[in-house]
Amino acid sequence: PAGPAQAAGAAPAPGPMDLRGLERRTLRLTPFTTDLQFYRLTPDGRSLLLVAADPAGKDIGYAIDLASRQPRVLFQRPRGATTMYEADAKGQTVLALGAAGIDRYDVATGKADGSVPFNAEMTRDAQAEIAAMFDHAWRLTQVKFYDAKMHGVDWDQVGADYRRYLPYVQQWEELVEILNEMVGELNASHQGSFFTPSGAERDATASLGVYLDEGWRGAGVRLVEVLAGGPADRSRSVLKPGAVILAVDGQPVTPETELAQLLNRKAGQPVLLSVRPAQGGAPVDETLTPVGLQQEAMLSYQRWVDKRRAQVEKASGGRLGYLHIPHMAMPEYLSAYGDLFGRYRQAEAVLVDVRFNRGGNLHDPLVAMLTGQGLAELVTRDGVRIAEVPASRWTRPSALLANAGSYSDGSVFPALYQRLKIGPLLGESVPGTGTAVLWENLLDRRLDWGVPQLGFKGRDGRFFENQEIVPDIPVGADPAAVAAGRDPQLERGVEVLLQQIGPVRSAR
């Protein structure tokens, strides 16, 4: 019988949803894989309305019958011509907001059903926007900062002290400066603001993948080194150490017209160089395609790693391996794993280097990988060892290099390495920057704001943040030695590991 709140003949009141086995109630609605721009299920549950990005540069609107899984094309629009898509409450019309107004498409027929002119103007108050972004950044830090005590700082007073400068802000960079000064009162890492300018007018210098002689005073620029894997690294190239680049695309390289200026916006475009060979003689022409500075930086980094790997292998007679981990992310882990159990599978110990590490989240797998204990080995019938068991964890000695540039998770890992006594920690003291950050765009999307919202805390109850990590074996980076091409920290790491593993063992 109907209850007092339910009239006779009325539909029964909905009961609680049965969520048991919800994870297994999945059904694919689209018959193809695509880049979805918009989707809506019609209220009757019979059709799926969606807009997909087509590789040919169009947005295609579909109505998919969920019983037959057959898609029906409703409309096609140029890619980028639509700001947003929406459907009406009944699922009978798809609306597309474009520059000229709102276009309507009838779902039943797919025909355009008229357009509604639309034009909205907005009056911007720059000072109000500045105040709003400041208040948002201040408030977000107040509610998200990993230490509820705000490092002992009176955050209300700090906000009041810096808010009084806002009426004088004229440029976004000035607001960034105020925000950074304000948050600097907390003395923490992973925080602050930065401004990313936009526009095609910015310089974009390209690189030939060469190092130049800064003391050269003759015509053009003289090469001292060619980066391996770079544009100039070709067997038949005349660009060798000692060669002189005299012109780019017919324009002479002079003190007034520098090479960088002639390569501006030339990344990915062939350029014609006039080069005097290293052995002298008449200039010759050579065409190559420069790369961007980011690619040049990767080539320079690989050069740095290759040099240190060679130094370690030479100094140890091939007994030691060398790993540099620049970033705490899975690609770097896979690279380290491949080197450790591939290139260095026969090495007796490994020197791990996290100097200048930019952070990420990789401390757990690294710790696990370096703390294996040998239990058995895989050998051939004549006693040749093929692999150790466990085969995916390093069971031999290691040492760790770190410096003040080991940041974020790049500082958490040395702290854990030292606390677990995995091996000796060498180098310079590492500032504790063990927090996880929240980055977000502000009202003006060119401004970003970061807040350290999670903190690593040890069993002693202390946060890693602002705790100095003092190496077991302090080794400074002597500028004179570095300028001479040496790496004192690396050299000391090799000595320590060689002392640890002892003299060369005789063959079986």
Side-chain angles (χ1 to χ4, degrees), residues 115 284 302:
S115 179
V284 298
Q302 193 57 54

Side-chain angles (χ1 to χ4, degrees), residues 18-191:
D18 184 0
L19 301 179
R20 293 173 298 176
L22 183 64
E23 68 278 5
R24 292 188 291 276
R25 297 187 221 163
T26 59
L27 178 67
R28 176 168 178 159
L29 300 182
T30 55
F32 47 75
T33 299
T34 186
D35 181 8
L36 291 178
Q37 306 298 302
F38 163 81
Y39 64 91
R40 284 288 183 276
L41 191 64
T42 58
D44 60 11
R46 296 180 178 179
S47 298
L48 177 68
L49 307 177
L50 65 86
V51 178
D54 182 79
K58 296 180 180 179
D59 284 353
I60 303 179
Y62 295 94
I64 299 176
D65 182 271
L66 297 182
S68 65
R69 295 292 191 274
Q70 294 300 313
R72 178 166 51 88
V73 176
L74 297 178
F75 59 82
Q76 296 187 27
R77 296 173 64 88
R79 190 71 188 278
T82 307
T83 304
M84 66 177 294
Y85 294 96
E86 190 51 85
D88 67 349
K90 296 182 180 180
Q92 297 174 346
T93 305
V94 175
L95 310 172
L97 175 61
I102 303 173
D103 296 326
R104 299 161 48 92
Y105 296 94
D106 183 72
V107 171
T109 64
K111 294 182 179 180
D113 190 19
S115 179
V116 179
F118 178 80
N119 183 37
E121 293 186 3
M122 179 180 68
T123 300
R124 295 185 59 181
D125 185 334
Q127 288 301 129
E129 287 186 16
I130 289 170
M133 285 188 281
F134 178 94
D135 289 339
H136 174 77
W138 177 89
R139 184 170 56 253
L140 187 68
T141 302
Q142 181 188 45
V143 301
K144 283 285 189 180
F145 193 69
Y146 81 99
D147 178 16
K149 296 180 181 179
M150 306 297 288
H151 280 188
V153 172
D154 185 343
W155 192 238
D156 289 328
Q157 185 60 52
V158 168
D161 288 343
Y162 286 91
R163 193 174 286 108
R164 59 194 175 96
Y165 296 109
L166 298 183
Y168 309 103
V169 172
Q170 300 295 321
Q171 305 289 338
W172 294 122
E173 293 88 340
E174 294 174 345
L175 175 60
V176 167
E177 189 69 22
I178 291 174
L179 289 172
N180 285 333
E181 290 290 334
M182 176 182 70
V183 80
E185 303 281 354
L186 292 173
N187 189 30
S189 63
H190 294 83
Q191 60 181 2

Side-chain angles (χ1 to χ4, degrees), residues 173-474:
E173 293 88 340
E174 294 174 345
L175 175 60
V176 167
E177 189 69 22
I178 291 174
L179 289 172
N180 285 333
E181 290 290 334
M182 176 182 70
V183 80
E185 303 281 354
L186 292 173
N187 189 30
S189 63
H190 294 83
Q191 60 181 2
S193 179
F194 59 89
F195 173 73
T196 304
S198 58
E201 71 279 0
R202 299 176 64 189
D203 286 337
T205 305
S207 168
L208 300 175
V210 298
Y211 286 155
L212 304 176
D213 181 357
E214 298 296 336
W216 177 254
R217 293 295 178 264
V221 290
R222 182 174 179 269
L223 277 60
V224 294
E225 186 176 346
V226 175
L227 287 173
D233 184 23
R234 300 183 297 185
S235 59
R236 297 184 179 182
S237 174
V238 72
L239 293 169
K240 307 292 183 185
V244 177
I245 300 176
L246 299 172
V248 177
D249 288 334
Q251 299 186 55
V253 179
T254 68
E256 292 75 25
T257 308
E258 297 182 352
L259 180 63
Q261 180 180 349
L262 298 178
L263 292 175
N264 198 21
R265 310 184 196 284
K266 294 293 182 69
Q269 302 177 27
V271 296
L272 180 64
L273 305 178
S274 176
V275 184
R276 185 170 66 230
Q279 64 271 22
V284 298
D285 289 341
E286 180 170 332
T287 301
L288 58 73
T289 303
V291 297
L293 293 185
Q294 186 174 9
Q295 291 171 275
E296 182 199 54
M298 291 302 299
L299 295 171
S300 298
Y301 164 73
Q302 193 57 54
R303 168 185 178 271
W304 186 86
V305 172
D306 289 343
K307 283 180 174 292
R308 276 140 191 82
R309 178 183 291 129
Q311 289 173 11
V312 170
E313 294 177 359
K314 180 180 180 181
S316 68
R319 301 178 67 194
L320 303 181
Y322 172 77
L323 302 176
H324 184 263
I325 304 174
H327 187 67
M328 294 297 195
M330 190 51 63
E332 285 73 17
Y333 174 78
L334 295 176
S335 176
Y337 184 94
D339 281 346
L340 202 57
F341 300 107
R343 184 196 300 265
Y344 298 126
R345 65 186 181 278
Q346 300 295 339
E348 299 175 48
V350 64
L351 184 60
V352 183
D353 190 349
V354 292
R355 293 176 296 178
F356 312 107
N357 185 288
R358 301 186 301 276
N361 186 10
L362 198 64
H363 54 271
D364 274 359
L366 284 180
V367 166
M369 185 168 65
L370 294 172
T371 51
Q373 295 184 1
L375 303 174
E377 57 186 19
L378 190 66
V379 298
T380 66
R381 61 184 290 171
D382 51 356
V384 176
R385 185 182 65 182
I386 301 300
E388 286 187 282
V389 178
S392 60
R393 297 180 68 185
W394 186 255
T395 60
R396 284 157 270 173
S398 67
L400 182 65
L401 295 180
N403 65 2
S406 304
Y407 183 70
S408 189
D409 203 44
S411 75
V412 172
F413 176 63
L416 297 177
Y417 187 93
Q418 188 179 56
R419 294 184 186 198
L420 291 171
K421 302 185 185 304
I422 299 173
L425 174 63
L426 301 94
E428 299 169 318
S429 292
V430 181
T433 53
T435 55
V437 63
L438 167 68
W439 285 106
E440 71 165 24
N441 294 118
L442 295 179
L443 182 61
D444 187 296
R445 311 298 287 180
R446 295 172 296 175
L447 276 75
D448 291 83
W449 180 250
V451 181
Q453 62 176 343
L454 299 172
F456 286 94
K457 182 185 286 188
R459 291 297 184 185
D460 58 2
R462 300 174 61 200
F463 282 109
F464 284 22
E465 183 79 1
N466 287 338
Q467 283 197 58
E468 183 181 30
I469 304 164
V470 180
D472 304 313
I473 304 175

